[in-house]
Amino acid sequence: MGGQYRITGDKYPRLRRPKRRRRLVLAVVASTTALGLAGWGTLQLIDVFTGGDDQAAAAGPKADCSARVSPSPTAGKAGRKPSGSPESYPAPGKITVNVLNATPRSGLAKDTAEELKKRGFRIGNVGNATEEYDKKVKGTALLLGAKAAEDTALPVLNTQLAGARLKTDGRKKATEVDLVIGTGFKALSKQKDADAALAELTRPKPTPTPTKTC
Protein backbone atom coordinates (compact mmCIF):
# COMPACT_ATOMS: atom_id res chain seq x y z
CA MET A 1 0.00 0.00 0.00
CA GLY A 2 1.23 3.45 -0.81
CA GLY A 3 0.88 6.61 1.15
CA GLN A 4 2.24 7.91 4.37
CA TYR A 5 1.26 4.96 6.60
CA ARG A 6 2.13 1.32 6.03
CA ILE A 7 1.21 -1.84 7.87
CA THR A 8 4.18 -4.00 8.54
CA GLY A 9 4.57 -7.30 10.33
CA ASP A 10 1.84 -9.83 11.15
CA LYS A 11 -0.11 -7.71 13.74
CA TYR A 12 -3.22 -5.66 12.93
CA PRO A 13 -4.38 -2.56 14.79
CA ARG A 14 -7.30 -3.11 17.25
CA LEU A 15 -10.38 -0.90 17.16
CA ARG A 16 -11.34 0.38 20.65
CA ARG A 17 -14.57 2.16 21.82
CA PRO A 18 -13.80 5.74 22.69
CA LYS A 19 -13.38 6.23 26.44
CA ARG A 20 -15.51 9.40 26.35
CA ARG A 21 -18.75 7.53 25.49
CA ARG A 22 -18.21 4.98 28.27
CA ARG A 23 -17.77 7.72 30.83
CA LEU A 24 -20.99 9.38 29.62
CA VAL A 25 -23.01 6.18 30.04
CA LEU A 26 -21.67 5.61 33.55
CA ALA A 27 -22.52 9.18 34.49
CA VAL A 28 -26.14 8.81 33.29
CA VAL A 29 -26.60 5.56 35.21
CA ALA A 30 -25.17 7.07 38.39
CA SER A 31 -27.40 10.13 38.09
CA THR A 32 -30.53 8.02 37.60
CA THR A 33 -29.73 5.88 40.63
CA ALA A 34 -29.10 8.92 42.78
CA LEU A 35 -32.41 10.51 41.77
CA GLY A 36 -34.29 7.27 42.55
CA LEU A 37 -32.75 6.99 46.01
CA ALA A 38 -33.52 10.62 46.72
CA GLY A 39 -37.17 10.19 45.74
CA TRP A 40 -37.59 7.06 47.87
CA GLY A 41 -36.03 8.81 50.86
CA THR A 42 -38.39 11.76 50.43
CA LEU A 43 -41.44 9.45 50.49
CA GLN A 44 -40.20 7.76 53.67
CA LEU A 45 -39.79 11.12 55.37
CA ILE A 46 -43.35 12.11 54.37
CA ASP A 47 -44.76 8.89 55.84
CA VAL A 48 -42.86 9.43 59.10
CA PHE A 49 -44.13 12.98 59.64
CA THR A 50 -47.73 12.48 58.42
CA GLY A 51 -48.50 9.03 59.91
CA GLY A 52 -49.06 7.56 56.43
CA ASP A 53 -50.72 4.18 56.34
CA ASP A 54 -51.17 4.04 60.13
CA GLN A 55 -53.76 6.84 60.06
CA ALA A 56 -55.53 5.33 57.07
CA ALA A 57 -55.67 1.93 58.73
CA ALA A 58 -56.97 3.46 61.95
CA ALA A 59 -59.63 5.49 60.15
CA GLY A 60 -60.74 2.67 57.84
CA PRO A 61 -62.45 0.31 60.29
CA LYS A 62 -64.12 3.22 62.12
CA ALA A 63 -65.68 4.40 58.90
CA ASP A 64 -66.98 0.92 58.10
CA CYS A 65 -68.23 0.06 61.61
CA SER A 66 -71.97 0.34 62.09
CA ALA A 67 -74.21 -0.34 65.04
CA ARG A 68 -76.68 -3.15 64.54
CA VAL A 69 -79.30 -4.63 66.82
CA SER A 70 -78.94 -8.33 67.50
CA PRO A 71 -82.26 -10.07 66.99
CA SER A 72 -83.69 -11.80 70.02
CA PRO A 73 -84.70 -15.45 69.70
CA THR A 74 -88.42 -16.19 69.47
CA ALA A 75 -90.28 -19.08 70.99
CA GLY A 76 -92.48 -21.49 69.10
CA LYS A 77 -92.19 -23.89 66.21
CA ALA A 78 -93.57 -23.90 62.68
CA GLY A 79 -96.69 -21.79 62.17
CA ARG A 80 -97.77 -18.77 64.19
CA LYS A 81 -95.31 -17.83 66.90
CA PRO A 82 -96.72 -16.71 70.26
CA SER A 83 -96.15 -13.03 70.92
CA GLY A 84 -96.93 -13.01 74.64
CA SER A 85 -94.37 -12.39 77.35
CA PRO A 86 -93.26 -15.20 79.70
CA GLU A 87 -95.31 -13.58 82.47
CA SER A 88 -98.49 -13.74 80.38
CA TYR A 89 -98.53 -17.54 80.12
CA PRO A 90 -100.52 -19.14 82.95
CA ALA A 91 -99.34 -22.30 84.66
CA PRO A 92 -101.05 -25.53 83.50
CA GLY A 93 -102.85 -25.71 86.88
CA LYS A 94 -104.69 -22.48 86.07
CA ILE A 95 -105.98 -23.70 82.69
CA THR A 96 -109.19 -25.71 82.40
CA VAL A 97 -109.25 -27.98 79.35
CA ASN A 98 -112.42 -29.42 77.82
CA VAL A 99 -111.37 -32.55 75.95
CA LEU A 100 -113.71 -33.33 73.07
CA ASN A 101 -113.45 -36.25 70.66
CA ALA A 102 -114.25 -35.47 67.01
CA THR A 103 -113.19 -38.92 65.75
CA PRO A 104 -115.00 -42.28 65.47
CA ARG A 105 -112.57 -43.83 68.00
CA SER A 106 -114.17 -44.30 71.38
CA GLY A 107 -112.40 -43.58 74.66
CA LEU A 108 -109.91 -41.16 73.07
CA ALA A 109 -111.15 -38.11 74.97
CA LYS A 110 -111.06 -39.93 78.32
CA ASP A 111 -107.51 -41.21 77.89
CA THR A 112 -106.25 -37.83 76.71
CA ALA A 113 -107.92 -36.03 79.61
CA GLU A 114 -106.33 -38.36 82.13
CA GLU A 115 -102.86 -37.73 80.65
CA LEU A 116 -103.36 -33.95 80.70
CA LYS A 117 -104.45 -34.16 84.34
CA LYS A 118 -101.21 -35.95 85.18
CA ARG A 119 -99.34 -33.06 83.56
CA GLY A 120 -101.01 -30.54 85.83
CA PHE A 121 -103.92 -29.24 83.73
CA ARG A 122 -107.42 -28.87 85.11
CA ILE A 123 -109.99 -30.97 83.28
CA GLY A 124 -113.47 -29.70 82.45
CA ASN A 125 -115.93 -31.47 80.15
CA VAL A 126 -114.90 -34.76 78.58
CA GLY A 127 -116.91 -36.30 75.73
CA ASN A 128 -117.77 -36.08 72.07
CA ALA A 129 -117.35 -32.92 70.03
CA THR A 130 -120.36 -30.87 69.01
CA GLU A 131 -121.95 -31.33 65.59
CA GLU A 132 -120.03 -28.31 64.33
CA TYR A 133 -116.72 -30.17 64.70
CA ASP A 134 -117.67 -33.86 64.91
CA LYS A 135 -115.65 -35.79 62.29
CA LYS A 136 -114.72 -32.45 60.66
CA VAL A 137 -111.29 -31.89 62.24
CA LYS A 138 -108.85 -33.48 59.80
CA GLY A 139 -105.59 -32.62 61.52
CA THR A 140 -104.14 -33.57 64.88
CA ALA A 141 -106.41 -31.33 66.94
CA LEU A 142 -108.14 -27.99 67.14
CA LEU A 143 -107.51 -25.78 70.16
CA LEU A 144 -110.34 -23.33 70.84
CA GLY A 145 -110.32 -20.42 73.24
CA ALA A 146 -111.23 -16.79 73.81
CA LYS A 147 -109.44 -14.00 71.97
CA ALA A 148 -107.61 -13.24 75.21
CA ALA A 149 -106.32 -16.84 75.28
CA GLU A 150 -104.57 -16.50 71.93
CA ASP A 151 -101.28 -15.49 73.55
CA THR A 152 -101.89 -16.96 77.00
CA ALA A 153 -103.62 -20.29 77.64
CA LEU A 154 -103.73 -21.64 74.07
CA PRO A 155 -99.93 -21.60 73.50
CA VAL A 156 -99.43 -23.36 76.85
CA LEU A 157 -101.80 -26.17 75.87
CA ASN A 158 -100.20 -26.28 72.43
CA THR A 159 -96.89 -27.36 74.00
CA GLN A 160 -98.48 -30.73 74.84
CA LEU A 161 -99.01 -31.90 71.24
CA ALA A 162 -97.65 -31.27 67.78
CA GLY A 163 -99.56 -30.14 64.71
CA ALA A 164 -102.60 -28.63 66.44
CA ARG A 165 -104.43 -25.64 64.97
CA LEU A 166 -105.33 -22.68 67.19
CA LYS A 167 -108.63 -20.81 66.82
CA THR A 168 -110.48 -18.20 68.87
CA ASP A 169 -114.20 -17.89 69.48
CA GLY A 170 -116.58 -15.61 71.36
CA ARG A 171 -116.17 -16.97 74.87
CA LYS A 172 -115.08 -14.60 77.61
CA LYS A 173 -113.08 -16.74 80.02
CA ALA A 174 -109.43 -16.80 78.88
CA THR A 175 -108.35 -19.69 81.10
CA GLU A 176 -110.90 -22.22 79.77
CA VAL A 177 -110.06 -23.80 76.41
CA ASP A 178 -111.21 -26.73 74.29
CA LEU A 179 -109.05 -29.51 72.92
CA VAL A 180 -110.97 -30.98 69.98
CA ILE A 181 -109.24 -34.20 68.93
CA GLY A 182 -108.98 -34.61 65.15
CA THR A 183 -108.72 -37.68 62.95
CA GLY A 184 -104.94 -37.24 62.63
CA PHE A 185 -104.38 -37.45 66.39
CA LYS A 186 -102.26 -40.33 67.70
CA ALA A 187 -101.15 -39.24 71.15
CA LEU A 188 -99.94 -36.30 73.16
CA SER A 189 -96.27 -35.41 72.91
CA LYS A 190 -93.93 -37.32 75.19
CA GLN A 191 -93.73 -35.86 78.67
CA LYS A 192 -90.09 -34.75 78.31
CA ASP A 193 -90.73 -33.09 74.95
CA ALA A 194 -93.80 -31.28 76.27
CA ASP A 195 -91.88 -30.08 79.34
CA ALA A 196 -89.06 -28.80 77.15
CA ALA A 197 -91.49 -26.94 74.89
CA LEU A 198 -93.23 -25.38 77.88
CA ALA A 199 -89.92 -24.31 79.42
CA GLU A 200 -88.86 -22.72 76.13
CA LEU A 201 -92.17 -20.87 75.86
CA THR A 202 -91.97 -19.38 79.35
CA ARG A 203 -88.24 -18.68 79.38
CA PRO A 204 -87.39 -14.96 79.68
CA LYS A 205 -86.17 -13.58 76.38
CA PRO A 206 -82.96 -11.49 76.29
CA THR A 207 -83.32 -7.83 75.43
CA PRO A 208 -81.88 -6.98 71.99
CA THR A 209 -78.56 -5.17 72.38
CA PRO A 210 -76.77 -3.07 69.75
CA THR A 211 -73.55 -4.60 68.48
CA LYS A 212 -70.82 -3.15 66.31
CA THR A 213 -69.79 -4.99 63.20
CA CYS A 214 -66.75 -4.05 61.16
Side-chain angles (χ1 to χ4, degrees):
M1 297 178 60
Q4 184 177 359
Y5 301 98
R6 294 178 180 274
I7 298 175
T8 59
D10 55 357
K11 294 183 179 180
Y12 294 90
R14 296 181 179 179
L15 300 179
R16 297 182 179 177
R17 182 177 296 178
K19 294 182 179 181
R20 183 180 300 174
R21 182 177 298 177
R22 181 181 298 174
R23 292 175 180 175
L24 180 60
V25 171
L26 292 175
V28 171
V29 172
S31 299
T32 303
T33 302
L35 289 174
L37 292 174
W40 180 80
T42 301
L43 291 175
Q44 294 300 315
L45 290 174
I46 292 175
D47 286 341
V48 169
F49 287 104
T50 61
D53 295 338
D54 293 338
Q55 290 183 355
K62 292 182 180 179
D64 294 337
C65 288
S66 58
R68 297 181 181 178
V69 176
S70 299
S72 60
T74 56
K77 297 183 179 180
R80 182 186 179 278
K81 295 179 179 176
S83 57
S85 63
E87 296 79 11
S88 68
Y89 299 119
K94 295 183 178 180
I95 301 174
T96 300
V97 183
N98 301 315
V99 184
L100 307 175
N101 186 7
T103 76
R105 293 177 287 171
S106 61
L108 199 56
K110 180 177 179 293
D111 294 341
T112 304
E114 290 178 353
E115 182 61 30
L116 286 175
K117 186 176 181 179
K118 293 178 183 178
R119 299 183 182 188
F121 289 87
R122 292 182 179 179
I123 303 301
N125 298 325
V126 179
N128 294 327
T130 61
E131 185 179 354
E132 181 182 1
Y133 298 108
D134 189 29
K135 300 179 181 62
K136 297 176 183 178
V137 179
K138 303 298 182 183
T140 300
L142 176 64
L143 307 185
L144 290 171
K147 181 64 178 178
E150 188 175 20
D151 289 314
T152 56
L154 286 177
V156 174
L157 179 58
N158 194 37
T159 61
Q160 304 303 304
L161 69 169
R165 183 165 58 94
L166 278 62
K167 183 180 178 181
T168 60
D169 54 21
R171 73 185 71 188
K172 300 299 182 181
K173 196 171 182 180
T175 57
E176 183 176 351
V177 296
D178 296 346
L179 168 58
V180 184
I181 301 173
T183 55
F185 179 85
K186 293 182 180 180
L188 295 174
S189 300
K190 293 181 179 180
Q191 179 77 60
K192 62 177 182 179
D193 295 334
D195 291 344
L198 183 59
E200 176 66 22
L201 179 69
T202 57
R203 179 180 302 154
K205 305 302 182 294
T207 303
T209 54
T211 57
K212 289 185 178 181
T213 57
C214 299

